[in-house]
Structure formats: C-alpha cells, structure tokens
Amino acid sequence: MDIVLEAEISPQMSTASTVRLAQMVEDTGFARLGISDVVYWPDSFMVQALCAQATNRIAVGAMVTNPYTRHPVVLAGALATLDDLAGGRAFCGLGVGAGLEPLGIDYPKPVAALRRTVTEIRTLLNGEEAGGERLIRPPTHPIPISIGTRSPQVMRLAGEVADIALVGGRYLSAELAAQYRSWLADGAGRVGRALEDLEVAPRLTLCCSPDGDLARRSVKRYVAHYLTLIRPAELAVEPERMTAIESALARSQGWYFDHNRTDDEALDHLIDNRLVEAFTIVGTPDECAQQLESVLDMGFTSVSLNLAATARSTATEGLAETITSFSPVVASLTASS
C-alpha cells in the first residue's frame, strides 16, 4: 500500500531559503510540496515556480489558494505555466481563503465560488473555452485539484469535484474521520462517484526534533489557535481554561505560523502536552512515527503535513530541523509501502 505524504511550507523566509527547504522536502521523500498562499507574504505561485525549477520529482502546488484573490482564469493560466515548467508535476490546492479581511474582501457563497472556480479551471486546462476564450498554451498533463476544508458543505463539494480532499483542522479522531468520509461520500454519491475515486488526506501539523520537549513547546500557539476554532467536546477543556486561552491569543501578535510572532506567556502553561499531542504530530522522530501510525490506522493512506518550525533562531533553521528529523519516518513508511 503506497503512503502519500504531503508537506506544506509557509514562505516567510527569503525565496532562496524556501527553495532550499523545498529541495530538502524532496530529498526526504515527500510526494507533494505545497506553498502557502498568504496575503502580504511572498507570492505563492512565483515561489512554486522556483521550487519546481529546483526539484525533479516532487509535485508542487498552492496550499491553498482561493477564488477571491485569484480569478479562475488567472489560476488556470498560472497552473498551465507551472505544469509546463515542472514537466507535469503541478497541482492546485483550493479553499475558501483566510485572512482576507484587511483587503476588504468578504467570503460570499463559498461553495458556489469554489464550484465555479473548479469548473472554469478544468474547462480551460482541458483546452476548452471559458468566457469565449481559450488558454494559448493549455497543459499537456492532467493537473490534480485538491480542496481543503473543515466545512461539511465544502467537504461534500470536494466529494463531487475534487481529485484530493484535504480535511480537518489539525485535530483528528476515529469518529471525526468517519464523519469526514460520510460527508465526502454524500458529495461523491451526488455525481455517481465512489469515495474511493478521490484521495482523502487529513490536514495535520508536524513539528519534529531530537529534542521532543522543544518540538512540543514550539507548537503551543498552533494548538491554541485550532483548539479555539474546533473545540472538540471529547477533550473536555474547562470553560474557564478556554476563556483564558482565548484571552492569551488576543494578547498574542502575528499569524500563528509566523516564526516572528509574539506568543503570550500564559499559553505555555494553558496548553499542556495532552492538548499539544491532540492537535499535532509532534516530538522526537520515534514519537512522531507512533502518532502518524495512529492516523494511518484510521484508514488513511495519505496525510498532508503543515510543517512547523522548531523554536530556533530563524524559521529556516527551525523548518530544516523538522524536515531532517522526520526523514527516517518518511523512509520507513516508503520502505513499508
């Protein structure tokens, strides 16, 4: 059984450093590399192109772009160009989008917007007309489209139209995995597809280091962010504690995945190891391997891993540590599959 591992890098460092990290991800044995599409950060598609040019095997794409800041025709043209440059290794990750409020952009009718975007992109990539025009140079390879979501409605859409469904908000349980599959199957059934017709990958955060305690400390802000979004009842977080975590997040500054963010000190004791391990693949290589096996035991053969930097002096150094530390886990999975 082949195991597909996908890595996502948020390109907060210099472009040259991101490209070096992309090469490390490929050398480690990941199958796909996603570059985060974040407003005010280095342009995802330009970085994707440079990463594709510097690699040979790994698939490269956005993780994830959205239908509000990039028109479907613009996306189709970018994908055709990327695929030509990468020799057939492009993919496209789509989602509703996040962090667009400072641009004055709302998220109207997200399911309809994603459906229209997928339809127009596929039409143009197939060399057909959309809006009365065709791409000058459509791709010669099929370009997989993935949809990332926590929403039941968007998950059903993914079941209808996506090649890959990236599901969840970093927290996973057997019951939640079954619910995700149920929503995807509902959507797939609407168009005569089977759930087996698409790849399903849970979205998880990975932070790996020989120093397991350092890795766990490094992701407490990640965990606080997703805990307040998902609020799994089975974790039984006391209301007073949840309120304190929300207050600590309000006092923190920057994106949760920004290495230069400022985390409120209270998060260090409010987010204990039980919560950290519920929301992340984290710790030493052996600990990460055990946690990943638990995910695969839920019936998944693909996992999408948002790479988190260990708390080193730079994001590049911290991400490199996560990648190299996780390398033996990837090698073991590749050998066993």
Side-chain angles (χ1 to χ4, degrees):
M1 178 175 60
D2 291 337
I3 304 298
V4 178
L5 293 179
E6 177 176 77
E8 177 185 1
I9 294 175
S10 299
Q12 52 194 282
M13 62 293 298
S14 71
T15 302
S17 294
T18 304
V19 170
R20 287 196 296 273
L21 291 169
Q23 292 169 325
M24 292 175 64
V25 167
E26 177 172 73
D27 292 342
T28 295
F30 283 90
R32 287 194 297 266
L33 169 67
I35 302 297
S36 305
D37 190 0
V38 185
V39 293
Y40 298 113
W41 282 36
D43 182 78
S44 175
F45 278 88
M46 292 184 70
V47 175
Q48 289 170 52
L50 292 168
C51 290
Q53 201 166 39
T55 55
N56 300 296
R57 175 193 56 80
I58 198 167
V60 180
M63 291 291 294
V64 295
T65 192
N66 68 82
Y68 301 112
T69 58
R70 300 187 193 266
H71 191 279
V73 175
V74 174
L75 280 171
L79 287 167
T81 305
L82 177 64
D83 200 64
D84 181 42
L85 178 67
R89 292 183 286 127
F91 72 92
C92 180
L94 287 169
V96 172
L100 305 184
E101 292 84 357
L103 304 179
I105 296 176
D106 199 0
Y107 306 88
K109 300 181 178 178
V111 175
L114 283 171
R115 184 187 298 278
R116 182 177 64 253
T117 297
V118 172
T119 299
E120 289 191 26
I121 287 174
R122 284 228 175 95
T123 297
L124 289 164
L125 294 181
N126 288 337
E128 302 167 10
E129 285 190 3
E133 299 288 345
R134 290 183 170 89
L135 291 181
I136 298 297
R137 289 179 57 84
T140 57
H141 308 89
I143 298 179
I145 293 177
S146 61
I147 292 180
T149 183
R150 297 189 307 271
S151 156
Q153 294 83 1
V154 177
M155 214 166 291
R156 292 186 179 99
L157 176 68
E160 288 186 52
V161 303
D163 301 296
I164 306 163
L166 308 175
V167 299
R170 277 47 171 198
Y171 175 78
L172 190 66
S173 66
E175 294 75 18
L176 198 51
Q179 182 65 79
Y180 290 158
R181 289 192 180 91
S182 174
W183 289 326
L184 290 167
D186 285 347
R190 293 173 182 171
V191 293
R193 300 175 78 190
L195 184 58
E196 294 73 22
D197 293 337
L198 72 158
E199 179 187 327
V200 183
R203 291 282 287 138
L204 302 169
T205 295
L206 170 68
C207 190
C208 190
S209 168
D211 184 343
D213 288 337
L214 172 68
R216 283 181 279 274
R217 291 196 305 272
S218 300
V219 293
K220 291 198 173 188
R221 176 74 178 279
Y222 283 74
V223 173
H225 173 81
Y226 281 101
L227 172 64
T228 56
L229 282 178
I230 308 299
R231 299 173 182 266
E234 58 269 30
L235 292 183
V237 179
E238 303 87 345
E240 298 81 4
R241 188 180 186 188
M242 187 70 79
T243 299
I245 292 169
E246 291 174 326
S247 296
L249 283 176
R251 293 191 297 269
S252 301
Q253 295 181 346
W255 284 94
Y256 65 92
F257 50 80
D258 185 346
H259 197 71
N260 296 321
R261 67 186 185 266
T262 300
D263 296 348
D264 189 85
E265 293 180 359
L267 292 176
D268 192 51
H269 70 267
L270 288 169
I271 304 296
D272 58 22
N273 285 345
R274 179 183 75 98
L275 293 176
V276 167
E277 292 170 7
F279 278 87
T280 55
I281 304 294
V282 65
T284 66
D286 285 345
E287 290 170 332
C288 289
Q290 292 173 4
Q291 294 163 28
L292 192 56
E293 284 294 340
S294 297
V295 172
L296 298 176
D297 286 344
M298 295 179 196
F300 293 103
T301 57
S302 298
V303 181
S304 179
L305 297 167
N306 177 209
L307 304 184
T310 57
R312 300 298 186 186
S313 59
T314 67
T316 303
E317 182 183 358
L319 285 170
E321 181 170 6
T322 285
I323 295 166
T324 56
S325 300
F326 195 65
S327 179
V329 182
V330 179
S332 175
L333 287 172
T334 303
S336 64
S337 63

